[in-house]
Amino acid sequence: EIVLTQSPGTLSLSPGERATLSCRASQSVTSRSLAWYQHKPGRAPRLLIYGASIRATGIPDRFSGSGSGTDFTLTISRLEPEDFAVYFCQQYDKSPRTSGLGTKVEIK
Amino acid sequence: QVTLRESGPALVKPTQTLKLTCTFSGFSLNTFGMSVNWFRQPPGKALEWLAHIDWEDEKFYSASLKTRLSVSKDTSENQVILTLTNVDPVDTGTYYCTRVRAVDTDMIVDYWGQGMLVTVSS
């Protein structure tokens, strides 16, 4: 199965700063079949990006996804207070769907 | 508005059978392209995909859990039921039900439940 490795494990930033999160796959994810989710404690995860770069409905344009093959990136251009959360990637190219362990974006 | 909610026992003894119910609203499992998938997340580990059931009642299971898992649906009640037999402490984790929707040629997990922590312990 495809193993997804996310880095860094924790990102300490201030509101207004730019966040860059990485998701690396153990083998190529074809058709850019990768999604990003935001997860806050006690809440349901929220779909942010699918198809590596397509924003889901209602997601602000400060969130952007890029990458292909084995290297994918989620960028938050200017952190808002509500953006501090855990972000995880998930590939749906090959069965079974697999997810990364997540990157926690915390307030510095 | 799409919502999903997991329910079931929070504590299960080893060797017992775990039955979890996903109650959803805002969509129908009779609709072309719709499915419900289950995931779980053991403490400190990544999410693990468990099972899939779709509008055609096709079912798929994790290869490593196939002999212990079953999934069914009650479309009149908007529910999906996941059953895991012969549980062990390694089955402890947060269990999530999700909606999966066809977008072009992709099947996207677009909505999640809040998750339910299940502990297996004697």
Side-chain angles (χ1 to χ4, degrees), chain A residues 37 39 42 44 92 97 101, chain B residues 45-46 96 107-109 112 114:
Chain A
Y37 299 88
H39 193 191
Y92 48 92
R97 292 173 190 267
L101 200 48
Chain B
K45 296 188 177 181
Y96 295 91
M107 300 294 285
I108 310 295
V109 175
W112 297 69
Q114 281 188 300

Side-chain angles (χ1 to χ4, degrees), chain A residues 2-50:
Chain A
I2 296 178
V3 176
L4 298 178
T5 302
Q6 291 188 242
S7 61
T10 302
L11 203 48
S12 298
L13 295 167
S14 301
E17 288 194 294
R18 181 185 188 91
T20 304
L21 288 66
S22 171
C23 176
R24 181 160 290 177
S26 60
Q27 55 185 279
S28 184
V29 176
T30 56
S31 303
R32 294 161 55 88
S33 299
L34 186 119
W36 288 94
Y37 299 88
Q38 178 191 68
H39 193 191
K40 296 181 180 179
R43 308 258 309 257
R46 178 170 74 142
L47 174 66
L48 300 174
I49 301 284
Y50 65 95

Side-chain angles (χ1 to χ4, degrees), chain A residues 80-99:
Chain A
E80 297 287 340
E82 62 267 28
D83 298 337
F84 291 91
V86 172
Y87 294 83
F88 66 92
C89 54
Q90 185 179 89
Q91 67 81 23
Y92 48 92
D93 176 36
K94 293 182 176 59
S95 183
R97 292 173 190 267
T98 51
S99 305

Side-chain angles (χ1 to χ4, degrees), chain B residues 57-112:
Chain B
D57 207 33
E58 273 209 297
K59 302 168 188 178
F60 303 104
Y61 299 102
S62 162
S64 62
L65 295 167
K66 192 172 185 176
T67 59
R68 298 170 50 213
L69 273 175
S70 67
V71 65
S72 62
K73 65 179 180 176
D74 182 338
T75 49
S76 64
E77 295 290 332
N78 280 352
Q79 291 183 330
V80 169
I81 296 164
L82 181 78
T83 302
L84 180 64
T85 61
N86 192 27
V87 297
D88 181 271
V90 299
D91 296 311
T92 293
T94 300
Y95 287 71
Y96 295 91
C97 69
T98 69
R99 184 181 86 161
V100 179
R101 181 171 65 93
V103 178
D104 297 329
T105 58
D106 289 338
M107 300 294 285
I108 310 295
V109 175
D110 62 351
Y111 285 94
W112 297 69

